[in-house]
Amino acid sequence: MSERVQTSIIIPVHGQWPLTEDCLRSLAATLDGAPCEIIVVDNASQDATPQACPALGRELFGPRFQYKRFAQNRNFGPACNAGAALAQGEYLFFLNNDTVAKPGWYAPLVRDFSEFPNIACTGPLLSRPAQGPLGETVQHLGVHMNPFCDVHHLYEGIPADSPLAQRRRFFQVITAAALLLPAKLFRDAGGFDEAYRNGFEDVDLCARLWSRGLRMTVNPASRFTHLTSMTPGRGADEEANHELFFRKSIHLLTPDWHLHLKADNFSLALSPWLTLVPSLPEAVSTRLRTLLQGGDADDVLRTLKDFPLWYQGYEALAGAFRNAGLLKEAHSLWLSLALLRPVPENLFPLLADSSRLGDEKRVSFALTYLLSHCRGFEERLEKARALRELAALLGLPELSAQCAAWLEQSGEFRQKTQLPFLRRLKDMGLFAGGQPGWDKAYTVWRELDDSQEARAGRRPPVPQGLEERARFSVLMPVYSPKPRQLRAAVDSVLSQLWPHWELCMADDASPDPAVRPLLEELARLDPRIRVTFRPENGNIATASNSALEMARHPYTALLDQDDLLTPDALLEVALALAANPEARLIYSDEDKCDDEGARFTPHFKSDWDPVLCEAQNMVSHLGVYETARMRAIGGFRPGYDGSQDFDLLWRFAEGLEPGQIVHIPKVLYHWRSHEGSVALAVTEKSGAVLDNFQKALADHVQRTGQAGSVHRVAGMNHYRVAYELPEPAPLLSLLLDLGGQAALGKTLIPSWLESAGYPNLELLLAFSPEERGADRMQELASLDARIRLTPVPAQSRIARLNALAAAAQGELLAFMDKFLLPESQGWLHELAARCLVHEAGVAGSKLLTQERTVAHAGFYLDSTGTLFALHRGIAGHDPGYFGWASLARCVAAVDGRCLVTRRELFEHLGGLQKDQGGESVVNAGALYCLRAGERGQRVVYTPYAAFTLRQGQEHDVPLPGGEAFSTSLSPCHPALFAGCPGWALFPQPQNRPK
């Protein structure tokens, strides 16, 4: 290329060839001979792009066109950087392929660098295609940052021909959808940060340039049409990108939305939903209101062009078009209004119109913003307080006053606005079938059905005399706390509805001199708060023991310095003690919270499950222990830091009867999640913490005289006990009914016997002389000396299995299906050990489909007593809800196609029985487990014995339910899933967003 190149236009693409074609043709028609080169960087497009793009590029631009293709999708940032490396121009113009250039766009942008020497970047005004009475509307004329440091497009949705869209402005950030900057500046800045994935690359780059004293601008004389977000998967990593930007570059920018509004004679106002919206001057609003009384639609439309922030005008005009049957026109107005003021009053009409028109993109947009308002009331209060302080710091006294007024009327907002809104979301069925996820569903449930008011209405009266027995010492070890979090923790104790408590705080020699005065101040708030100061730093176990020494009450509750109790936490524990006089250990469900007041990730636990507790501290928060026993075992042991409570739990629980460990199926504890906390993610656990967990579990195994070794579960921060079999191992009878398909046995039986890992077994093969293929059964018997052909009647499947069991000689019976392919070595060893070592009545395995999804990981009872398969359909490697699919645990029932049980129990229960569904072995096994559970027998699911179902069998899995599965078992029966009253609201895990 001999001629000078002024600008290199770099277009990253990933599929969507028709968009790329339109973009290229629009550039060819509008460059007017400008000295530009075009560089298309193809991120592994699988459509017509690889063939069509080079040909069209050469046709339109000749030698000034370059095409570079990657074999794999490298995403936006790396593609742009690769294009920049090829570029020869003085300027680089990054351009999305979902844009269409308008005539005269190029020269105004280049002139900006001579007219404004201190700018780093410039870009055109981007507008959406005309779809309604407003014509084209603004998509981008610059980016603002609100007081919470979130970035958004300024005035998005206003008419593109409005005078407000014609003004020149300067910004900290503009979009890279169409961004021009000097090539040297881009390269000196290091290009786009490739740690981002299709989002925030431009915000990060502009932030770095802004920190150098440079600024960005958008030139309204240059214009493109922008279709926006047409690339598949765009926005999938937005949350991760947002978090990365906040860690890396947020400090480079400052809130500026109010400054842009002030320059345009607007102000920042607070909506009832605590969202910030631009507001017209009151005098202007008053004058415009009069227009609605006598003006027609044309008057309103003309006025909207001059006053595009007139929200009532959009509403009136949309209503007029809807009444006239012009749904598309009304829809376009609701979209603009929702972009400018995204509150439910605008989003619900947009959602309705979008649904009627089949506009899935706008349906998704409306739902996303509607669900952003699905917040807990406490979270709203925290946001209002934070915004009040931010507004004061930014010099916005009017906004600060609005926040104060909102807080004063917050109770009215909750009753008249928030709760009806949440009921409407629930009635829409948004949470059925798995969308939009656990935390939003949890917010709806706890605000509507599990609020403090709702709990109070269901709570039984307090028995007389309970206050003498139910007194609690709350232990809180303290070390270098964040004052705000510590105050909140103490406030949660002071707010307890049950007044019979003391708070024992032990400071572990915090190095910050401000900690002691703070603790002394807190102790003066209430005589029930006592503080001790350790002379030297020990560790959390030592500090907890110092707090334990102060305890004067019969029961001890554990509270971390940054966590929160619900107001009724100790009251609910007191009532549990009244209902369970023998209780020595009480624990509750829990959730997580953040510093903004949000509550999420509810952990609805089962009743006491010693099998699951080997892998995780299922008691954790809130745990309340009998003080005398806690002292008798020596309290917390040093040397187990990070897992000291797990070590305490096992030493405390050993020797207790199941009825002495009581689970309260209510969320009574909020575990604070912050950077570096274990609550934020299990992966935050340090190696030392995990080592101490393993040590505590190994100690428990040794103390209880069990033969087994502790191992880390593959791919998880959890451990398991691999139990050894007794010597000698008792005889186990492996029962198999091939059902006339003898050919299956030739490969199936050897694979079973080779991988079983059990030293003393017999294999009984069901045999009926009149069956097809009976002559081949003799051949199978010769495969191994342990195989016995067992005559059975040619009757039902259930009757045949019972006949096999009757002929068996083993102490253990293993019912196995002919379609099971072993996935793990030693599977029979594992299943037998669960029955022999853990004394379970029944043990069952994990079953996978050919598609590597879960077919079975245990059946559970919900709060209504209904049996259901919690994990069915999730990916086989997915750990499931709190690891339940990948950890051994007690369940209500296991799949009858792989079931090991003790012979004595089997005979006592009368064997397998058919249900109303007929010959389903799955259902017969589930019924057997329920009958065993009614007699106090433990049923164990273990994923360490895993099988794949043969092709064609993976989906033939009945879901137990209905009258056939009525049971006297309570959902809160020991070893069964307890759940919560709102469990049915939650989606099945296979649909849960990652």
Side-chain angles (χ1 to χ4, degrees):
M1 193 182 303
S2 57
E3 297 181 17
R4 165 181 169 270
V5 175
Q6 185 179 41
T7 300
S8 299
I9 302 175
I10 300 167
I11 308 174
V13 302
H14 177 60
Q16 303 290 334
W17 165 243
L19 296 178
T20 305
E21 180 181 7
D22 289 346
C23 179
L24 292 175
R25 291 189 183 280
S26 73
L27 290 174
T30 57
L31 278 173
D32 298 327
C36 299
E37 66 173 349
I38 313 298
I39 303 172
V40 173
V41 184
D42 185 354
N43 269 321
S45 295
Q46 299 301 310
D47 60 356
T49 301
Q51 295 76 35
C53 187
L56 181 64
R58 287 191 294 270
E59 174 189 331
L60 295 176
F61 306 104
R64 291 184 177 275
F65 179 81
Q66 296 187 64
Y67 174 81
K68 179 177 178 61
R69 175 177 166 81
F70 291 124
Q72 294 180 330
N73 184 0
R74 294 180 58 184
N75 300 309
F76 178 83
C80 288
N81 289 341
L86 298 173
Q88 301 179 41
E90 177 186 354
Y91 297 100
L92 304 178
F93 185 51
F94 297 101
L95 185 66
N96 282 10
N97 70 330
D98 57 355
T99 57
V100 176
K102 295 190 174 186
W105 69 269
Y106 179 73
L109 292 185
V110 176
R111 281 199 303 269
D112 280 348
F113 289 99
S114 58
E115 293 182 14
F116 308 103
N118 66 335
I119 64 168
C121 308
T122 186
L125 187 148
L126 302 179
S127 60
R128 289 189 174 85
Q131 292 182 331
L134 297 179
E136 293 190 354
T137 56
V138 167
Q139 188 271 318
H140 173 80
L141 56 72
V143 170
H144 70 75
M145 176 175 282
N146 71 18
F148 289 108
C149 296
D150 294 322
V151 292
H152 299 279
H153 296 287
L154 183 66
Y155 301 138
E156 185 175 13
I158 70 171
D161 59 355
S162 165
L164 190 60
Q166 316 306 316
R167 298 178 185 172
R168 168 78 71 171
R169 296 176 179 84
F170 296 92
F171 299 94
Q172 300 175 93
V173 173
I174 61 173
T175 181
L179 178 133
L180 180 72
L181 79 167
K184 184 177 186 305
L185 181 63
F186 179 78
R187 294 179 180 122
D188 290 347
F192 289 114
D193 188 335
E194 298 185 5
Y196 296 94
R197 288 175 56 87
N198 301 326
F200 274 82
E201 297 94 340
D202 45 6
V203 182
D204 177 83
L205 174 64
C206 289
R208 286 182 275 133
L209 296 173
W210 173 265
S211 69
R212 298 184 179 190
L214 301 171
R215 55 183 180 164
M216 326 305 141
T217 189
V218 167
N219 192 330
S222 174
R223 300 207 168 195
F224 276 71
T225 300
H226 190 196
L227 301 178
T228 74
S229 302
M230 298 302 293
T231 302
R234 178 73 170 89
D237 298 285
E238 187 164 348
E239 184 176 346
N241 290 332
H242 189 269
E243 291 178 359
L244 174 61
F245 176 71
F246 260 69
R247 290 197 307 270
K248 178 178 178 286
S249 300
I250 189 64
H251 64 284
L252 302 177
L253 303 176
T254 57
D256 63 354
W257 192 11
H258 60 292
L259 300 177
H260 289 298
L261 295 178
K262 184 178 180 180
D264 292 327
N265 199 30
F266 305 137
S267 60
L268 202 55
L270 188 70
S271 81
W273 297 91
L274 291 180
T275 56
L276 295 171
V277 294
S279 176
L280 290 169
E282 183 58 34
V284 176
S285 296
T286 301
R287 178 162 54 87
L288 291 175
R289 277 195 294 269
T290 63
L291 180 62
L292 294 178
Q293 300 172 3
D296 59 17
D298 290 337
D299 292 334
V300 174
L301 181 57
R302 284 191 296 269
T303 305
L304 273 177
K305 297 291 182 74
D306 292 327
F307 297 93
L309 298 187
W310 181 31
Y311 306 128
Q312 294 81 6
Y314 289 97
E315 294 172 1
L317 198 58
F321 280 115
R322 179 179 285 178
N323 292 337
L326 301 174
L327 188 58
K328 290 184 178 180
E329 287 75 4
H331 175 252
S332 68
L333 290 161
W334 283 120
L335 175 60
S336 285
L337 187 54
L339 288 167
L340 291 167
R341 196 171 185 266
V343 296
E345 292 84 357
N346 300 330
L347 293 164
F348 278 122
L350 175 64
L351 176 62
D353 288 353
S354 299
S355 298
R356 293 188 186 101
L357 293 170
D359 188 341
E360 294 183 4
K361 184 177 178 182
R362 301 308 176 200
V363 166
S364 177
F365 169 83
L367 282 175
T368 297
Y369 273 92
L370 277 171
L371 292 169
S372 72
H373 293 286
C374 185
R375 297 170 177 263
F377 184 61
E378 291 298 324
E379 184 180 359
R380 290 189 184 278
L381 292 177
E382 189 63 31
K383 182 176 181 179
R385 297 185 188 107
L387 183 56
R388 180 179 58 186
E389 297 175 6
L390 284 171
L393 289 173
L394 292 172
L396 300 172
E398 292 183 359
L399 181 59
S400 183
Q402 291 179 52
C403 294
W406 187 96
L407 286 166
E408 290 180 4
Q409 302 296 321
S410 58
E412 182 178 357
F413 167 82
R414 180 171 185 265
Q415 293 300 323
K416 295 184 178 181
T417 305
Q418 180 184 21
L419 294 182
F421 165 72
L422 295 178
R423 291 190 190 98
R424 186 171 181 181
L425 287 184
K426 183 178 178 181
D427 292 343
M428 289 169 62
L430 292 180
F431 305 102
Q435 297 296 336
W438 291 84
D439 293 332
K440 296 300 184 185
Y442 178 52
T443 296
V444 170
W445 172 71
R446 63 185 175 82
E447 290 290 327
L448 295 180
D449 304 312
D450 196 48
S451 64
Q452 287 295 313
E453 299 93 328
R455 284 188 184 182
R458 298 190 297 262
R459 190 175 292 132
V462 178
Q464 291 186 352
L466 182 60
E467 64 274 5
E468 294 302 321
R469 176 174 177 239
R471 293 178 176 270
F472 306 99
S473 297
V474 181
L475 307 189
M476 182 188 290
V478 176
Y479 183 76
S480 298
K482 294 182 178 180
R484 185 166 175 262
Q485 294 178 354
L486 179 62
R487 288 182 186 275
V490 172
D491 283 344
S492 76
V493 179
L494 289 168
S495 300
Q496 289 300 299
L497 300 175
W498 185 253
H500 309 293
W501 56 264
E502 64 175 357
L503 177 59
C504 305
M505 306 172 74
D507 177 60
D508 196 22
S510 296
D512 185 352
V515 173
R516 185 180 187 104
L518 173 60
L519 291 173
E520 291 173 341
E521 174 194 342
L522 293 173
R524 290 192 292 269
L525 295 175
D526 192 293
R528 294 170 292 181
I529 300 177
R530 297 188 296 139
V531 182
T532 186
F533 297 93
R534 291 180 42 77
E536 60 182 12
N537 178 257
N539 49 43
I540 189 170
T542 304
S544 297
N545 284 334
S546 296
L548 179 60
E549 292 173 4
M550 304 165 63
R552 299 176 296 190
H553 293 327
Y555 289 90
T556 292
L558 307 183
L559 175 63
D560 289 345
Q561 66 184 20
D562 50 0
D563 295 343
L564 305 170
L565 299 177
T566 64
D568 60 347
L570 297 182
L571 174 58
E572 291 290 349
V573 177
L575 292 172
L577 287 171
N580 302 273
E582 301 302 316
R584 313 289 288 276
L585 168 60
I586 306 99
Y587 67 98
S588 77
D589 298 340
E590 61 188 270
D591 63 14
K592 296 176 184 177
C593 69
D594 61 21
D595 289 337
E596 283 71 48
R599 287 172 51 191
F600 49 95
T601 316
H603 187 180
F604 297 116
K605 307 171 186 177
S606 68
D607 285 0
W608 173 244
D609 182 348
V611 179
L612 177 62
C613 203
E614 290 178 351
Q616 61 182 216
N617 185 350
M618 58 174 291
V619 170
S620 194
H621 313 116
L622 169 70
V624 180
Y625 298 78
E626 184 186 55
T627 306
R629 182 175 178 84
M630 198 171 177
R631 285 186 171 131
I633 64 172
F636 296 89
R637 289 200 295 177
Y640 293 81
D641 289 354
S643 295
Q644 73 286 336
D645 51 351
F646 181 69
D647 174 66
L648 171 77
L649 169 61
W650 271 124
R651 290 185 293 114
F652 191 99
E654 290 163 9
L656 292 183
E657 296 296 325
Q660 294 179 300
I661 304 177
V662 175
H663 167 226
I664 302 174
K666 297 180 181 179
V667 173
L668 303 180
Y669 193 104
H670 308 315
W671 192 10
R672 191 179 295 274
S673 171
H674 53 83
E675 188 173 355
S677 72
V678 179
L680 187 61
V682 176
T683 53
E684 294 281 357
K685 290 183 178 179
S686 68
V689 170
L690 292 172
D691 289 346
N692 289 337
F693 187 101
Q694 181 179 16
K695 183 170 64 170
L697 181 56
D699 289 350
H700 160 68
V701 173
Q702 184 178 25
R703 282 193 305 269
T704 52
Q706 302 176 86
S709 54
V710 177
H711 305 275
R712 189 165 175 175
V713 179
M716 302 178 71
N717 284 336
H718 295 286
Y719 288 86
R720 60 166 292 202
V721 180
Y723 288 102
E724 299 175 9
L725 296 169
E727 289 284 352
L731 180 65
L732 182 148
S733 298
L734 198 60
L735 311 177
L736 174 61
D737 181 7
L738 290 173
Q741 300 184 44
L744 284 176
K746 288 188 176 181
T747 55
L748 177 67
I749 292 174
S751 70
W752 279 11
L753 297 177
E754 180 182 352
S755 60
Y758 194 85
N760 186 17
L761 64 83
E762 62 173 359
L763 172 58
L764 276 65
L765 286 178
F767 175 71
S768 296
E770 63 273 26
E771 284 183 352
R772 182 187 61 182
D775 54 333
R776 299 182 183 177
M777 297 297 291
Q778 298 292 342
E779 299 178 19
L780 295 180
S782 64
L783 292 175
D784 192 286
R786 294 170 290 181
I787 300 175
R788 284 200 291 133
L789 291 183
T790 305
V792 298
Q795 298 175 356
S796 70
R797 296 175 67 189
I798 307 304
R800 291 164 66 90
L801 291 174
N802 283 331
L804 279 177
Q809 300 176 9
E811 180 180 324
L812 296 176
L813 304 176
F815 294 88
M816 302 295 294
D817 193 89
K818 60 192 173 191
F819 296 110
L820 297 180
L821 303 174
E823 284 281 332
S824 54
Q825 290 292 321
W827 53 269
L828 191 54
H829 177 128
E830 169 67 16
L831 290 167
R834 293 293 170 182
C835 291
L836 295 171
V837 180
H838 264 152
E839 299 181 347
V842 189
S845 70
K846 185 175 188 176
L847 303 182
L848 301 173
T849 69
Q850 290 288 317
E851 293 80 16
R852 312 305 296 168
T853 62
V854 171
H856 170 75
F859 294 122
Y860 303 84
L861 287 176
D862 69 6
S863 60
T864 68
T866 302
L867 200 66
F868 69 106
L870 178 62
H871 296 107
R872 182 176 295 167
I874 68 173
H877 59 80
D878 189 329
Y881 182 73
F882 280 88
W884 289 0
S886 300
L887 301 174
R889 58 171 286 113
C890 294
V891 293
V894 294
D895 195 311
R897 294 176 297 179
C898 180
L899 182 154
V900 176
T901 187
R902 286 182 279 111
R903 179 192 184 90
E904 179 184 10
L905 175 64
F906 186 81
E907 293 175 346
H908 179 72
L909 294 177
L912 299 176
Q913 299 177 9
K914 292 190 293 183
D915 76 315
Q916 293 178 346
E919 294 299 319
S920 167
V921 176
V922 178
N923 288 6
L927 276 172
Y928 176 79
C929 293
L930 291 177
R931 300 203 314 275
E934 287 180 322
R935 289 161 176 77
Q937 295 292 314
R938 188 179 296 151
V939 179
V940 174
Y941 154 79
T942 173
Y944 315 126
F947 294 86
T948 297
L949 291 160
R950 286 183 184 271
Q951 189 74 36
Q953 303 299 315
E954 57 267 38
H955 299 301
D956 184 22
V957 188
L959 178 62
E963 295 180 2
F965 288 88
S966 60
T967 172
S968 62
L969 285 175
S970 162
C972 295
H973 185 276
L976 299 182
F977 173 67
C980 73
W983 181 262
L985 181 68
F986 290 88
Q988 293 290 304
Q990 63 263 33
N991 297 317
R992 179 157 46 92
K994 295 186 183 298

